[in-house]
Amino acid sequence: MTDAPSLLQPEELAGATALTTRVLEQLGRLLLGQADLHRMVLAGILSRGHILLEGVPGVGKTALIRGLGRVLSLPFGRIQFTPDLMPGDILGTHILQPTPTGERQMAFQPGPIFTNILLADEINRASPKTQSALLEAMQERSVTLLGQTRPLPEPFFVMATQNPIELEGTYPLPEAQLDRFLFKLRVTAGDVAVLDEIITTRRRGEPPEPTWTMSAQDLARVFAIMDRVYLARAVSRYIARVVAATHAGAAEATDLVGQYVAYGASPRAAIAMAESARASALLAGRPTVGFEDVRRVAPAVLNHRLILNYKARFDGVDAFQVVDDLLGALDEAELDLPADVQVAKESGT
Amino acid sequence: MADRRPTHRAAASLRRRILLILSLRWAVRLAAGWCFAWGVAVMVFRAVPGMDAGPLVWGLAGLALCAAGAAALAWRRAPSRRAVRAVLDRACSGGGLVMAEAEVPLGPWAARVPPLTVPEVHWRKRPAALVLLAATAFVVFSFAIPQRFVEIASSRPLQVADEVASLAEQIQVLEEEQVLAVEEARSLEQSLEQTSEQAAGEDPAKTWEALDHLEDAVRTAAVDAAETALQQREALGQAEALSRALSTEADGLDTQALAAAMKKLADLLEKAAKDGSPLDDAALKEALADCQAGDLSAAECLRLANRLAMAGEMLKAKLLRLQEVNLIEIDALKLGEGWALDPGDLIAFLEGQGIDGLEPEALIEAWLAGAPGRGGVDRGRADAPLIQGDASSADGMEFVETVLPPPTVADLKESHLLGVTLGAPAVEAGGPAAGGALAPAAAGAGGARTHRVLPKHQPAVMRYFQREGEGAGRPAASP
């Protein structure tokens, strides 16, 4: 509830923060050297959003999602997307079955999507028709087959991965589907120290079993706490201004936006940014959202939602640069002072 | 009851700082603009005659208005309280607690708000301060500058010194050459001096108009004088030529011719002595009387001729002086040596005429007009008698034969279309019609060639062959 009459009590927040901290610890044990990635993935989970992980093969995308499912004690389903994958292979299908009375009737056989955490591995290898089968499931969290709508289990997360190279034989995700992902996170390889630790501590690279798992009740409690993280009006306005400024021609759009952005972010991006900023504040142990939370999640929320023009490709400008430029240019407080009058951003300076 | 929470106090303090800075900023800008306008007004009031700049000291009160306006503008541009809290939250890394405090009770979290320090508000004031300093200096300067500098600057005289000097010189020359009377010259000089003094002015067109008027008056007088002088020079030249002829040939003239010559000389002297001529003296008057009486001796004629030559030179010098000061423009022909006539021997001219019935006066007039070909189109008299010489002999004269071009082209040009026939053109017997020089020639006809005379030439040819008297039908002598 955003209109909470009062802030969270410190002890309530402390319990939730302790749980999330333990989840992060367990993820840190499973996948070494990716603390920031774990934090963002957990923020996405707490925001009940879907996450698209992008990285070259072998950096641990699948292992991270598999480990997350185990730590959260949630049923985990995996679909390896291939060009010949059909929507029925994901959603399920009706089959003809004999009844005890000897008659035959159509019975629904649920697909692998009926789970809590769905790993859509290499999602961009499936055809657009199959990719579109996920649209309703991701947004409405339900599946409609033969006119009958079936709700998906709560909570429901789609954790998709895609490979930025080997683009031959792939189908880029349509914008409508990209917009349904809360975050698009880049997974990079660890440094020498991390690789050395992996080699020395893990036989054949197999991650250790989690020493602690979060129960379903704890997860529901954390979700409830997350809903009560307070978003001040100044911060919500900042989020709105950031999203509005991603459109070329907007009042506060930067030169980089005007030059390279063909289409800006949707209102769904503003909602996603507010939710994920709340999760970021919760992970930081605060009952209120600050500007730093917005700045932390903004690149992950916006980078896959900005459609850049061909000029950006030629000039080697990507969405992260545009977002960084935007965040640097916008004054969070919106003081609207003359150019020759400035307020120091830090006390005592 | 005032809110005593630290965040509230800090937010109010920061807002006051921002308001103060904005007020100062607007005050400096408005004051600078006001000072420049004030200074300009002071300069204008001091420069315009009859206006007192003293009361403009009250312009100082405008600074108070500037301060009030600055406060109003700053209040309009002041940031909202929410924005100020956002700045505080950002400055102290409050994580949203400072912002949330204005919207929801913090409860136990109030104790966890980081210590607040109001951030500094920076204003790049140097450029604005420099502008204000310059504006203030301008106001002080506008009040402090001595009045005489303001007047000099405002009443800068019109630069007409060259024109006035030129006109003064022209008037002086006209006075010295007796073109203008002394009183008239003094009057013009006074007008010129008055115009020069009043040229300090606010109305340059008036000055230029006055100068144009003076120049026109001076130039008109000079042109009139020049025309008179030129007429006198012509009369002097003729009188000199006649007096020189009489000094040497008076004895050879018959009584009638001598009397006519004396009368003509008297007329010329009378004409040349008018209107301030250099001949206006007693001796010339006596000579004039002698001429009119016909009692001028040869020696007197010679002296008279010399005096007339001197008078001509004086007139020439006068015209040259007028030309030097750009009052007149006379071509070299009128001022050249050609003015002195040399019509030749008078007696030989008179004897050579041999035409009965002509009066001696007319002959002398013709002699003075000069031999044929001397006058040009602008010299001599238009009613000078036409003197016929002996008729030319036509003996040995013949036409020079000139081959005319074939008339075919002319025929075509002169022809008119009467109609177009559909049939074949009629061909006369004797061969096809053709153009060219030999086309009209007929074989064995006794003539080498015959021309077809065009209609427009036929009357002229007929008149030629129908002449009466000697030589008719024969080729006339070529001119």
Side-chain angles (χ1 to χ4, degrees):
Chain A
M1 296 273 295
T2 54
D3 296 331
S6 62
L7 296 183
L8 286 165
Q9 293 302 308
E11 54 273 17
E12 292 176 310
L13 186 63
T17 306
L19 289 171
T20 54
T21 304
R22 297 196 70 176
V23 171
L24 290 175
E25 285 173 2
Q26 293 300 318
L27 289 177
R29 289 182 67 247
L30 295 174
L31 196 64
L32 299 175
Q34 299 282 6
D36 289 339
L37 177 66
H38 297 159
R39 200 174 185 83
M40 291 303 294
V41 167
L42 186 56
I45 292 292
L46 296 179
S47 308
R48 297 180 179 85
H50 311 291
I51 297 172
L52 176 61
L53 297 175
E54 186 178 80
V56 296
V59 292
K61 301 186 293 288
T62 308
L64 170 63
I65 297 168
R66 187 194 299 270
L68 184 67
R70 284 156 64 186
V71 172
L72 295 181
S73 305
L74 293 175
F76 171 80
R78 172 177 177 168
I79 303 173
Q80 186 65 42
F81 278 62
T82 56
D84 57 351
L85 190 71
M86 299 300 289
D89 299 334
I90 300 172
L91 304 178
T93 185
H94 289 82
I95 58 174
L96 199 59
Q97 281 190 334
T99 61
T101 58
E103 295 177 347
R104 291 182 176 182
Q105 65 176 15
M106 297 295 286
F108 178 68
Q109 181 66 36
I113 199 170
F114 286 87
T115 183
N116 289 114
I117 296 180
L118 176 67
L119 170 58
D121 215 0
E122 297 197 80
I123 189 172
N124 57 336
R125 292 203 177 275
S127 66
K129 179 180 180 182
T130 308
Q131 291 175 1
S132 300
L134 288 172
L135 288 177
E136 183 192 5
M138 292 173 71
Q139 182 63 26
E140 314 292 339
R141 286 180 161 78
S142 63
V143 170
T144 300
L145 279 173
L146 294 179
Q148 186 175 0
T149 300
R150 293 180 172 83
L152 294 172
E154 278 291 334
F156 174 72
F157 306 106
V158 174
M159 303 283 150
T161 69
Q162 70 176 11
N163 186 351
I165 59 173
E166 296 178 2
L167 295 178
E168 191 174 354
T170 64
Y171 301 91
L173 293 178
E175 312 307 335
Q177 188 155 12
L178 276 176
D179 199 34
R180 280 167 168 75
F181 283 104
L182 180 80
F183 291 156
K184 178 182 173 187
L185 302 173
R186 282 182 178 174
V187 185
T188 56
D191 56 13
V192 173
V194 172
L195 294 176
D196 183 43
E197 189 174 354
I198 291 173
I199 294 169
T200 53
T201 60
R202 298 181 180 184
R203 185 72 180 172
R204 289 186 293 278
E206 292 176 354
E209 286 296 318
T211 57
W212 173 87
T213 58
M214 180 186 272
S215 65
Q217 292 78 12
D218 285 342
L219 186 59
R221 199 156 47 113
V222 173
F223 280 148
I225 295 293
M226 222 284 291
D227 287 342
R228 292 176 58 194
V229 173
Y230 187 75
L231 183 69
R233 289 294 306 277
V235 182
S236 65
R237 182 164 175 83
Y238 177 54
I239 292 172
R241 287 169 57 220
V242 169
V243 173
T246 59
H247 295 265
E252 292 187 286
T254 62
D255 290 343
L256 223 54
V257 170
Q259 202 172 354
Y260 295 121
V261 176
Y263 297 98
S266 64
R268 187 184 281 150
I271 298 168
M273 202 182 299
E275 290 303 314
S276 53
R278 279 192 172 95
S280 174
L282 175 63
L283 292 176
R286 281 185 277 106
T288 54
V289 180
F291 293 125
E292 60 270 31
D293 299 315
V294 178
R295 284 197 298 271
R296 184 174 297 128
V297 300
V301 172
L302 292 177
N303 79 88
H304 58 294
R305 289 183 163 97
L306 298 186
I307 301 174
L308 305 184
N309 55 23
Y310 70 95
K311 197 175 176 189
R313 293 186 183 179
F314 287 153
D315 293 347
V317 175
D318 62 11
F320 287 103
Q321 289 174 264
V322 175
V323 174
D324 285 346
D325 176 64
L326 192 57
L327 294 176
L330 282 184
D331 176 27
E332 301 97 328
E334 200 182 7
L335 278 176
D336 194 23
L337 294 176
D340 54 347
V341 178
Q342 289 182 337
V343 178
K345 290 202 171 184
E346 294 179 8
S347 299
T349 57
Chain B
M1 184 176 175
D3 194 337
R4 295 183 177 279
R5 288 175 296 182
T7 54
H8 184 82
R9 287 200 305 272
S13 172
L14 176 58
R15 194 159 186 270
R16 276 198 303 274
R17 281 190 192 182
I18 295 174
L19 267 175
L20 179 64
I21 293 292
L22 288 178
S23 299
L24 276 175
R25 176 180 179 274
W26 278 110
V28 166
R29 291 189 166 206
L30 291 177
W34 171 251
C35 284
F36 274 122
W38 187 17
V40 170
V42 170
M43 294 290 277
V44 168
F45 270 65
R46 293 186 65 186
V48 176
M51 300 193 77
D52 185 13
L56 288 180
V57 176
W58 288 102
L60 201 61
L63 295 179
L65 291 177
C66 290
L73 287 170
W75 187 261
R76 287 185 58 189
R77 290 292 302 268
S80 65
R81 297 180 193 284
R82 183 194 301 164
V84 172
R85 277 187 171 270
V87 171
L88 281 176
D89 191 284
R90 181 181 62 190
C92 70
S93 302
L97 282 175
V98 178
M99 290 182 281
E101 190 181 20
E103 300 169 12
V104 293
L106 290 186
W109 293 101
R112 303 193 184 189
V113 174
L116 291 174
T117 307
V118 179
E120 296 290 331
V121 183
H122 301 290
W123 169 38
R124 291 199 303 273
K125 50 186 168 297
R126 184 183 297 270
L130 287 177
V131 172
L132 178 60
L133 195 64
T136 308
F138 178 61
V139 170
V140 173
F141 173 78
S142 66
F143 276 108
I145 184 173
Q147 184 66 25
R148 64 178 185 278
F149 292 129
V150 180
E151 287 176 352
I152 287 172
S154 63
S155 60
R156 185 180 296 279
L158 199 61
Q159 296 297 328
V160 291
D162 293 343
E163 287 79 3
V164 168
S166 173
L167 272 175
E169 184 185 9
Q170 289 173 346
I171 292 171
Q172 186 180 0
V173 168
L174 289 179
E175 183 186 0
E176 289 173 359
E177 295 297 334
Q178 297 178 350
V179 174
L180 292 177
V182 177
E183 299 78 21
E184 199 177 359
R186 289 288 86 76
S187 172
L188 286 174
E189 283 174 353
Q190 285 177 1
S191 298
L192 183 62
E193 189 177 357
Q194 187 178 2
T195 303
S196 174
E197 288 173 355
Q198 292 178 352
E202 301 79 25
D203 190 3
K206 181 181 172 186
T207 302
W208 289 118
E209 191 177 348
L211 287 175
D212 286 345
H213 176 72
L214 282 173
E215 185 181 3
D216 189 44
V218 169
R219 192 173 290 276
T220 301
V223 169
D224 291 346
E227 286 180 359
T228 304
L230 285 173
Q231 290 172 2
Q232 287 174 347
R233 282 192 78 217
E234 187 175 0
L236 284 173
Q238 290 178 345
E240 183 193 352
L242 188 55
S243 61
R244 285 196 189 283
L246 289 175
S247 69
T248 57
E249 301 180 62
D251 296 339
L253 293 175
D254 59 4
T255 310
Q256 190 182 4
L258 182 61
M262 286 292 180
K263 184 175 183 301
K264 181 62 180 175
L265 180 59
D267 291 343
L268 289 172
L269 287 175
E270 197 169 5
K271 183 179 178 183
K274 285 193 299 187
D275 297 333
S277 163
L279 298 175
D280 191 15
D281 56 8
L284 276 175
K285 285 179 180 174
E286 187 180 349
L288 179 60
D290 290 342
C291 275
Q292 288 170 341
D295 293 337
L296 208 59
S297 66
E300 287 172 337
C301 284
L302 183 60
R303 282 199 299 276
L304 178 61
N306 291 334
R307 294 184 72 104
L308 290 171
M310 285 176 59
E313 288 298 326
M314 289 170 70
L315 280 178
K316 181 183 176 183
K318 174 182 179 178
L319 290 170
L320 283 173
R321 197 162 178 211
L322 294 180
Q323 194 174 23
E324 275 178 10
V325 293
N326 297 321
L327 278 171
I328 58 171
E329 292 179 1
I330 299 178
D331 56 15
L333 187 61
K334 288 183 178 177
L335 282 177
E337 296 302 324
W339 75 276
L341 292 178
D342 184 14
D345 194 352
L346 175 61
I347 295 176
F349 178 79
L350 293 177
E351 290 176 349
Q353 298 307 309
I355 299 173
D356 297 334
L358 287 177
E359 294 294 330
E361 289 83 358
L363 290 174
I364 291 173
E365 193 83 30
W367 177 76
L368 284 172
R374 285 189 50 125
V377 294
D378 58 345
R379 300 284 304 272
R381 295 179 53 178
D383 57 348
L386 178 63
I387 299 170
Q388 299 283 356
D390 293 334
S392 302
S393 171
D395 295 339
M397 297 297 174
E398 60 180 4
F399 278 117
V400 177
E401 288 191 5
T402 304
V403 178
L404 297 174
T408 309
V409 176
D411 285 347
L412 290 174
K413 287 182 178 175
E414 298 291 333
S415 64
H416 298 282
L417 180 64
L418 298 177
V420 178
T421 176
L422 294 176
V427 178
E428 296 177 359
L438 296 178
R449 48 180 297 186
T450 57
H451 275 296
R452 181 178 295 167
V453 180
L454 291 175
K456 65 181 181 181
H457 297 147
Q458 284 177 354
V461 174
M462 288 176 66
R463 280 197 303 275
Y464 176 78
F465 287 103
Q466 289 173 358
R467 283 187 305 168
E468 293 181 0
E470 186 180 357
R474 291 171 46 203
S478 61

